[in-house]
Amino acid sequence: MLNSKKTLTVLLTALLFSTVSFSQWLKPKGKGYYKISAWYLNTNQHYTDSGDIDPNVTRGYFNLNFFGDYGISDNLDIIAYVPFFSRTHRNDVLSGTTGKVIAKGEVFNSIGDIDIGIELKFLKTRKLALSGGIFLGLPTGNSSGGSDKSFQTGDGEFNQLVRVNFGIPFSISEVPFYSKAYLGFNNRTKNYSDEFRLGLETGLNILNNKVWLIGRSDIIKSLKNGSLNAQNNQGNIFANNIEYVSLGGEIAYYISKKFGISFYYAGALSGRIIAANPSYSLGVFLDIK
Amino acid sequence: MNRISFSSLLVCILFFFGCIGEDIVNDEVDPEVRILNPVNSISVSEMYQFNATFFNNVGQPEPVSISWSSSNESVAAINNNGLINAISEGQTTIKAIVSYNSTTIETDTAITVITGTVDQSLDTKSGTIISTSGYELTGDFTLKMIENTNNLQLTLGSSYKASSSLPGLYVYLTNNPNTVANAYEIGPVTIFEGSHTYTIPNVGINDYSYLLYWCKPFGVKVGGGDINN
């Protein structure tokens, strides 16, 4: 099975992070991969609409999320990403001259936007796997939280991501590797712009199948066909036309044949209207093979 | 994991990742004393009350003792309350002086005493907006008191243009371009190109020294311009 992703729409950020089951392909019938993760982003700078990096007051985004991938049949998986607790905060701003608080910080807690989807096997040979999926982004988060409505744990829109995945297994010096890629189109509603998505990933399995090392890059390109902007929304928008190229790395360690822990690090190499700081994710997983 | 240990784990996680920290901004500006109602001329035998405010090193009005002086007391004399008495035709320079943290801060304004009726034309101030961020922001502006009111009119010229990508872009009048603390919030920016106006109630033309564009959610200055005579 290929990656499942969830874009967390947080402030301007919406920095994508990925959760993954380390087997490359769809789950066999009755098998599954389940993971509980804590994800964190602390950001004091962002990419502007021109791609420059500007400072911003420090904001933190944290969530606890569940990811599950279950094989309904050998050819069909059901996938869910549930950020069951999302927390955003903004730092106090203090005068460097007087030491007094200029702007008081704030915290907002909510559930995040839930993704659910299915993935269907098209082809699987010893050298190639092809699959496709559709993922629905449910607006279960809060799109106007906090005193100034900027403490958002969701974008408030229902989106549909259609994705095609390609994967190949191979080995180098008897070390098992895989590489995979996906192409996707995300249809967004409520006047947000649609998006093209592209992802590349490669991983290797070492230490007698105990450790996965994975590198991953995601690219989001906005079609800029959504009319939502500050002009028609009383100056208050939440990050339409986000674009970025991110690079991340993950290490997963199987404590036993079924249980393991993973750590993921990702950051945007370039982007527009997105955080310019890295995010981190730490999780425990159950892999029923 | 039992309930207690899970709760403990959650508390620990929130402690490390969900707590409000502190950002410190450099908001120091040069302290300034400003005459809020300068005039170019007054008539012989007339009296006129000058008002001045001291703005401290964060641009905040601070009540302090202000002393006044006239460079030519045979033309006009001024008392310690800023009340000027025009005596004879001529020119003089009025100073407002503040002692602050062992330094003397002063400002002055030239005044002409004339015989006859004074033309009380309304002042106009202007400036140029420049971006101080990665976002597009440019244009010229003028400030003018609206006749027979206490309201100020801010006019952005036809060259004005601002990025519409920013969430929560607001415009302010301030005496400290580094912060919106103590600033006057005019309102959210909803026009991003071309000429337009804002009417600002109960604000004098000399009350503020800087037009500030500020992104509220990001908590940063986007740009702005000095308000010039």
Side-chain angles (χ1 to χ4, degrees), chain A residues 47-112:
Chain A
Y47 290 100
T48 69
D49 58 350
S50 59
D52 297 329
I53 293 179
D54 267 12
N56 53 260
V57 65
T58 302
R59 283 185 177 244
Y61 301 90
F62 171 80
N63 83 19
L64 295 172
N65 63 80
F66 165 79
F67 170 80
D69 177 359
Y70 176 76
I72 294 176
S73 73
D74 287 344
N75 297 323
L76 183 67
D77 279 11
I78 183 168
I79 296 163
Y81 171 86
V82 182
F84 54 88
F85 175 78
S86 288
R87 178 181 179 90
T88 76
H89 79 264
R90 183 178 62 203
N91 275 4
D92 289 332
V93 178
L94 273 60
S95 165
T97 307
T98 65
K100 292 179 180 174
V101 174
I102 294 174
K104 195 159 176 53
E106 193 170 342
V107 172
F108 184 77
N109 300 323
S110 170
I111 188 173

Coordinates of all heavy atoms in Angstrom, one line a residue, chain A residues 47-112:
Chain A
Y47 N 6.8 31.0 4.3 CA 7.1 31.4 2.9 C 5.9 32.4 2.5 O 4.7 32.1 2.7 CB 7.1 30.2 2.0 CG 8.3 29.4 2.2 CD1 8.3 28.2 2.9 CD2 9.5 29.7 1.6 CE1 9.4 27.4 3.1 CE2 10.6 28.9 1.8 CZ 10.6 27.8 2.5 OH 11.7 27.0 2.7
T48 N 6.3 33.5 1.9 CA 5.2 34.5 1.5 C 4.7 34.0 0.1 O 5.1 33.0 -0.4 CB 5.9 35.9 1.4 OG1 6.8 35.9 0.2 CG2 6.6 36.2 2.6
D49 N 3.8 34.9 -0.4 CA 3.2 34.5 -1.7 C 4.2 34.7 -2.8 O 3.9 34.2 -3.9 CB 2.0 35.4 -1.9 CG 2.2 36.9 -1.9 OD1 3.4 37.3 -1.5 OD2 1.4 37.7 -2.3
S50 N 5.3 35.3 -2.5 CA 6.4 35.4 -3.6 C 7.5 34.4 -3.3 O 8.5 34.4 -4.1 CB 6.9 36.8 -3.6 OG 7.5 37.2 -2.3
G51 N 7.4 33.6 -2.3 CA 8.4 32.6 -2.0 C 9.5 33.0 -1.1 O 10.3 32.2 -0.8
D52 N 9.4 34.3 -0.7 CA 10.4 34.7 0.3 C 10.0 34.2 1.7 O 8.9 33.8 1.9 CB 10.4 36.2 0.4 CG 10.9 36.9 -1.0 OD1 11.7 36.2 -1.7 OD2 10.4 38.0 -1.3
I53 N 11.0 34.2 2.6 CA 10.7 33.8 4.0 C 10.6 35.1 4.8 O 11.5 35.9 4.9 CB 11.8 32.9 4.5 CG1 11.8 31.6 3.8 CG2 11.7 32.7 6.0 CD1 12.9 30.6 4.2
D54 N 9.5 35.2 5.5 CA 9.2 36.3 6.4 C 9.0 35.8 7.8 O 8.5 34.6 8.0 CB 7.9 37.0 6.0 CG 8.2 38.2 5.0 OD1 9.3 38.3 4.5 OD2 7.3 39.0 4.8
P55 N 9.3 36.6 8.8 CA 9.0 36.2 10.2 C 7.5 36.3 10.5 O 6.8 37.0 9.8 CB 9.8 37.2 11.0 CG 9.8 38.4 10.2 CD 9.9 37.9 8.7
N56 N 7.1 35.6 11.5 CA 5.8 35.7 12.1 C 5.8 35.4 13.6 O 6.8 34.8 14.0 CB 4.8 34.8 11.4 CG 5.2 33.4 11.3 OD1 5.6 32.9 10.3 ND2 4.9 32.7 12.4
V57 N 4.8 35.9 14.3 CA 4.8 35.5 15.7 C 4.7 34.0 15.8 O 4.1 33.3 15.0 CB 3.5 36.2 16.3 CG1 2.2 35.7 15.8 CG2 3.5 36.0 17.9
T58 N 5.4 33.5 16.8 CA 5.5 32.0 16.9 C 4.1 31.4 17.2 O 3.4 31.8 18.1 CB 6.4 31.7 18.1 OG1 7.7 32.3 17.8 CG2 6.6 30.2 18.2
R59 N 3.8 30.4 16.4 CA 2.6 29.6 16.6 C 3.0 28.2 16.6 O 4.0 27.7 16.0 CB 1.6 29.8 15.4 CG 0.9 31.1 15.5 CD -0.1 31.2 14.4 NE -0.9 32.5 14.5 CZ -2.2 32.5 14.8 NH1 -2.9 31.4 14.9 NH2 -2.9 33.6 14.8
G60 N 2.3 27.4 17.4 CA 2.5 26.0 17.6 C 1.3 25.2 17.1 O 0.1 25.7 17.4
Y61 N 1.5 24.1 16.5 CA 0.4 23.2 16.1 C 0.8 21.8 16.6 O 1.9 21.3 16.3 CB 0.2 23.3 14.6 CG 0.0 24.6 14.1 CD1 1.0 25.5 13.7 CD2 -1.3 25.1 14.0 CE1 0.8 26.8 13.3 CE2 -1.6 26.4 13.5 CZ -0.5 27.2 13.2 OH -0.8 28.5 12.8
F62 N -0.2 21.2 17.2 CA 0.1 19.9 17.8 C -1.2 19.1 17.6 O -2.3 19.6 17.7 CB 0.3 20.0 19.3 CG 0.4 18.7 20.0 CD1 1.5 17.9 19.9 CD2 -0.7 18.3 20.7 CE1 1.5 16.7 20.6 CE2 -0.7 17.1 21.4 CZ 0.4 16.3 21.3
N63 N -1.0 17.8 17.2 CA -2.2 17.0 17.2 C -1.8 15.6 17.6 O -0.7 15.1 17.5 CB -3.0 17.1 15.9 CG -2.4 16.2 14.8 OD1 -1.7 15.2 15.0 ND2 -2.8 16.5 13.5
L64 N -2.8 14.9 18.1 CA -2.7 13.4 18.3 C -3.6 12.8 17.3 O -4.8 13.2 17.1 CB -3.2 13.1 19.7 CG -2.4 13.6 20.9 CD1 -3.0 13.3 22.2 CD2 -1.0 13.0 20.9
N65 N -3.1 11.9 16.5 CA -3.9 11.3 15.4 C -3.8 9.8 15.4 O -2.8 9.2 15.8 CB -3.5 12.0 14.1 CG -2.0 11.6 13.7 OD1 -1.8 10.5 13.2 ND2 -1.1 12.6 14.0
F66 N -4.9 9.3 14.8 CA -4.9 7.8 14.5 C -4.9 7.6 13.0 O -5.6 8.3 12.3 CB -6.2 7.2 15.1 CG -6.5 5.9 14.6 CD1 -5.8 4.8 15.1 CD2 -7.4 5.7 13.5 CE1 -6.1 3.5 14.6 CE2 -7.7 4.4 13.0 CZ -7.0 3.3 13.6
F67 N -4.1 6.7 12.6 CA -4.0 6.3 11.2 C -4.3 4.8 11.1 O -3.7 4.0 11.9 CB -2.7 6.6 10.5 CG -2.5 6.0 9.2 CD1 -3.1 6.7 8.1 CD2 -1.8 4.8 9.0 CE1 -3.0 6.1 6.8 CE2 -1.7 4.3 7.7 CZ -2.3 4.9 6.6
G68 N -5.2 4.4 10.3 CA -5.5 3.0 10.1 C -5.7 2.6 8.6 O -6.2 3.4 7.8
D69 N -5.2 1.5 8.3 CA -5.2 1.0 6.9 C -5.6 -0.5 7.1 O -4.9 -1.3 7.6 CB -3.9 1.1 6.3 CG -3.8 0.5 4.9 OD1 -4.9 0.0 4.4 OD2 -2.8 0.7 4.2
Y70 N -6.8 -0.9 6.6 CA -7.3 -2.2 6.8 C -7.7 -2.8 5.4 O -8.3 -2.2 4.6 CB -8.6 -2.2 7.7 CG -9.2 -3.5 7.9 CD1 -8.7 -4.5 8.7 CD2 -10.4 -3.8 7.2 CE1 -9.3 -5.7 8.9 CE2 -11.0 -5.0 7.4 CZ -10.5 -6.0 8.2 OH -11.1 -7.2 8.4
G71 N -7.3 -4.1 5.2 CA -7.6 -4.8 4.0 C -9.0 -5.4 4.0 O -9.2 -6.4 4.6
I72 N -9.9 -4.8 3.3 CA -11.2 -5.3 3.2 C -11.2 -6.6 2.4 O -11.8 -7.6 2.7 CB -12.2 -4.3 2.6 CG1 -12.3 -3.1 3.6 CG2 -13.5 -4.9 2.3 CD1 -13.2 -2.0 3.0
S73 N -10.4 -6.5 1.3 CA -10.1 -7.7 0.5 C -8.7 -7.6 0.1 O -8.0 -6.7 0.5 CB -11.1 -7.8 -0.7 OG -10.6 -6.8 -1.7
D74 N -8.2 -8.6 -0.7 CA -6.9 -8.5 -1.1 C -6.6 -7.4 -2.1 O -5.5 -7.0 -2.4 CB -6.5 -9.8 -1.8 CG -6.3 -10.9 -0.8 OD1 -6.2 -10.6 0.5 OD2 -6.3 -12.1 -1.1
N75 N -7.7 -6.9 -2.6 CA -7.6 -5.8 -3.7 C -8.1 -4.4 -3.2 O -8.0 -3.5 -4.0 CB -8.4 -6.2 -4.9 CG -7.9 -7.5 -5.5 OD1 -6.7 -7.7 -5.6 ND2 -8.8 -8.3 -6.0
L76 N -8.6 -4.4 -2.0 CA -9.2 -3.1 -1.6 C -8.9 -2.8 -0.1 O -9.1 -3.7 0.8 CB -10.7 -3.2 -1.7 CG -11.5 -1.9 -1.4 CD1 -11.2 -0.8 -2.4 CD2 -13.0 -2.2 -1.4
D77 N -8.4 -1.6 0.2 CA -8.1 -1.2 1.5 C -9.0 0.0 1.9 O -9.4 0.8 1.0 CB -6.6 -0.7 1.6 CG -5.6 -1.8 1.8 OD1 -6.0 -3.0 1.6 OD2 -4.5 -1.5 2.1
I78 N -9.3 0.0 3.1 CA -10.0 1.3 3.7 C -9.0 2.0 4.6 O -8.3 1.3 5.4 CB -11.3 0.9 4.4 CG1 -12.0 2.2 4.8 CG2 -11.1 0.0 5.6 CD1 -13.4 2.0 5.3
I79 N -8.9 3.2 4.4 CA -7.9 4.0 5.1 C -8.6 5.2 5.8 O -9.5 5.8 5.3 CB -6.9 4.5 4.1 CG1 -6.1 3.4 3.4 CG2 -5.9 5.5 4.7 CD1 -5.4 3.7 2.2
A80 N -8.1 5.5 7.0 CA -8.6 6.6 7.8 C -7.5 7.3 8.5 O -6.6 6.7 9.0 CB -9.7 6.1 8.8
Y81 N -7.7 8.6 8.5 CA -6.7 9.5 9.3 C -7.6 10.3 10.2 O -8.4 11.1 9.7 CB -5.9 10.3 8.4 CG -5.1 11.4 9.1 CD1 -3.8 11.0 9.7 CD2 -5.5 12.6 9.3 CE1 -3.1 12.0 10.4 CE2 -4.8 13.6 10.0 CZ -3.6 13.3 10.5 OH -2.9 14.2 11.2
V82 N -7.5 10.2 11.5 CA -8.3 10.9 12.4 C -7.5 11.7 13.4 O -6.9 11.1 14.4 CB -9.2 9.9 13.2 CG1 -10.2 10.6 14.1 CG2 -10.0 9.0 12.2
P83 N -7.4 13.0 13.2 CA -6.7 13.8 14.2 C -7.7 14.1 15.4 O -8.4 15.1 15.3 CB -6.3 15.1 13.5 CG -7.2 15.1 12.3 CD -7.8 13.7 12.1
F84 N -7.7 13.2 16.3 CA -8.8 13.3 17.3 C -8.6 14.4 18.4 O -9.4 14.8 19.1 CB -9.0 12.0 18.0 CG -7.7 11.4 18.6 CD1 -7.4 11.7 19.9 CD2 -7.0 10.5 17.9 CE1 -6.2 11.1 20.4 CE2 -5.8 9.9 18.4 CZ -5.4 10.3 19.7
F85 N -7.4 15.0 18.4 CA -7.1 16.1 19.3 C -6.1 17.0 18.6 O -5.0 16.7 18.2 CB -6.5 15.7 20.6 CG -6.1 16.8 21.5 CD1 -7.1 17.5 22.2 CD2 -4.8 17.2 21.6 CE1 -6.7 18.6 23.0 CE2 -4.4 18.3 22.4 CZ -5.4 18.9 23.1
S86 N -6.6 18.3 18.3 CA -5.7 19.3 17.7 C -5.6 20.5 18.5 O -6.6 20.9 19.1 CB -6.3 19.7 16.3 OG -6.1 18.6 15.4
R87 N -4.5 21.0 18.7 CA -4.2 22.1 19.5 C -3.4 23.2 18.8 O -2.3 22.8 18.2 CB -3.5 21.7 20.8 CG -3.2 22.8 21.8 CD -2.5 22.1 23.0 NE -2.1 23.0 24.1 CZ -2.8 23.4 25.1 NH1 -4.1 22.8 25.2 NH2 -2.4 24.2 26.0
T88 N -3.8 24.4 18.8 CA -3.0 25.4 18.2 C -2.7 26.5 19.3 O -3.6 26.8 20.1 CB -3.6 26.1 17.0 OG1 -4.6 27.0 17.4 CG2 -4.2 25.1 16.0
H89 N -1.6 27.1 19.3 CA -1.4 28.2 20.2 C -0.5 29.3 19.5 O 0.2 29.0 18.5 CB -0.7 27.7 21.5 CG 0.8 27.5 21.4 ND1 1.4 26.2 21.1 CD2 1.9 28.3 21.5 CE1 2.7 26.3 21.0 NE2 3.0 27.6 21.3
R90 N -0.6 30.4 20.1 CA 0.2 31.6 19.7 C 0.9 32.1 20.9 O 0.3 32.3 22.0 CB -0.7 32.7 19.0 CG 0.1 33.9 18.5 CD -0.8 34.9 17.8 NE -1.8 35.4 18.8 CZ -3.0 35.9 18.5 NH1 -3.4 36.0 17.2 NH2 -3.8 36.4 19.4
N91 N 2.1 32.5 20.7 CA 2.9 33.0 21.9 C 2.5 34.3 22.3 O 1.9 35.1 21.6 CB 4.4 33.1 21.5 CG 5.1 31.7 21.7 OD1 4.5 30.7 22.0 ND2 6.4 31.8 21.4
D92 N 2.8 34.6 23.6 CA 2.7 36.0 24.0 C 3.7 36.8 23.3 O 4.8 36.3 23.0 CB 3.0 36.1 25.5 CG 1.9 35.5 26.4 OD1 0.7 35.5 26.0 OD2 2.3 35.1 27.5
V93 N 3.4 38.1 23.0 CA 4.4 39.0 22.5 C 4.7 40.0 23.5 O 3.8 40.7 24.0 CB 3.9 39.7 21.2 CG1 4.9 40.6 20.6 CG2 3.5 38.6 20.1
L94 N 6.0 40.1 23.8 CA 6.5 41.0 24.9 C 7.3 42.2 24.3 O 8.0 42.0 23.3 CB 7.3 40.3 25.9 CG 6.6 39.6 27.1 CD1 5.7 38.6 26.6 CD2 7.7 39.0 28.0
S95 N 7.2 43.3 24.9 CA 8.0 44.5 24.5 C 9.4 44.2 24.9 O 9.7 43.9 26.1 CB 7.4 45.7 25.1 OG 8.4 46.8 25.0
G96 N 10.3 44.4 24.0 CA 11.7 44.3 24.3 C 12.2 45.5 25.1 O 13.3 45.5 25.7
T97 N 11.4 46.5 25.1 CA 11.8 47.8 25.8 C 11.3 47.8 27.2 O 12.0 48.1 28.2 CB 11.3 49.0 25.0 OG1 11.7 48.9 23.7 CG2 11.8 50.3 25.6
T98 N 10.0 47.5 27.4 CA 9.4 47.6 28.7 C 9.2 46.2 29.4 O 9.0 46.2 30.6 CB 8.0 48.3 28.6 OG1 7.2 47.4 27.8 CG2 8.1 49.6 27.9
G99 N 9.3 45.1 28.6 CA 9.0 43.8 29.2 C 7.5 43.5 29.3 O 7.2 42.4 29.8
K100 N 6.7 44.4 29.0 CA 5.2 44.2 29.2 C 4.7 43.4 28.0 O 5.2 43.4 26.9 CB 4.5 45.6 29.3 CG 4.8 46.4 30.5 CD 4.1 47.7 30.5 CE 4.4 48.5 31.8 NZ 3.8 49.8 31.8
V101 N 3.6 42.8 28.3 CA 2.9 42.0 27.2 C 2.2 42.9 26.3 O 1.4 43.7 26.7 CB 1.9 41.0 27.8 CG1 1.1 40.3 26.7 CG2 2.6 40.0 28.7
I102 N 2.6 42.8 25.0 CA 1.9 43.6 24.0 C 0.7 42.9 23.4 O -0.4 43.5 23.2 CB 2.9 43.9 22.8 CG1 4.1 44.8 23.3 CG2 2.2 44.6 21.7 CD1 5.2 45.0 22.3
A103 N 0.9 41.6 23.2 CA -0.2 40.8 22.7 C -0.3 39.5 23.4 O 0.7 38.8 23.4 CB -0.1 40.6 21.2
K104 N -1.4 39.2 24.0 CA -1.5 38.0 24.8 C -1.6 36.8 23.9 O -2.3 36.8 22.9 CB -2.7 38.1 25.8 CG -2.6 37.1 26.9 CD -3.5 37.6 28.1 CE -3.6 36.5 29.1 NZ -2.2 36.1 29.6
G105 N -0.9 35.7 24.3 CA -1.0 34.5 23.6 C -2.4 33.8 23.7 O -3.2 34.3 24.6
E106 N -2.6 32.8 23.0 CA -3.9 32.1 23.0 C -3.7 30.7 22.6 O -2.8 30.3 21.9 CB -4.8 32.8 22.0 CG -6.2 32.5 22.1 CD -7.1 33.4 21.3 OE1 -6.7 34.5 20.9 OE2 -8.3 33.0 21.0
V107 N -4.6 29.9 23.1 CA -4.6 28.4 22.8 C -6.0 28.0 22.4 O -7.0 28.5 22.9 CB -4.2 27.6 24.1 CG1 -4.4 26.1 23.8 CG2 -2.8 27.9 24.5
F108 N -6.1 27.1 21.4 CA -7.4 26.7 21.0 C -7.3 25.2 20.7 O -6.3 24.7 20.1 CB -7.8 27.4 19.7 CG -9.2 27.0 19.2 CD1 -10.3 27.5 19.9 CD2 -9.4 26.1 18.2 CE1 -11.6 27.1 19.4 CE2 -10.6 25.7 17.8 CZ -11.7 26.2 18.4
N109 N -8.2 24.4 21.3 CA -8.3 23.0 21.1 C -9.5 22.5 20.4 O -10.6 23.1 20.5 CB -8.3 22.3 22.5 CG -7.1 22.6 23.3 OD1 -6.0 22.7 22.8 ND2 -7.3 22.8 24.6
S110 N -9.3 21.5 19.6 CA -10.5 21.0 18.8 C -10.1 19.7 18.2 O -8.9 19.2 18.3 CB -10.8 22.0 17.7 OG -11.7 21.5 16.7
I111 N -11.0 19.0 17.5 CA -10.7 17.9 16.7 C -10.2 18.5 15.3 O -10.6 19.6 15.0 CB -11.9 17.0 16.5 CG1 -11.6 15.7 15.7 CG2 -13.1 17.7 15.8 CD1 -12.7 14.7 15.7
G112 N -9.4 17.7 14.6 CA -9.0 18.2 13.3 C -9.9 17.7 12.2 O -10.9 17.0 12.4

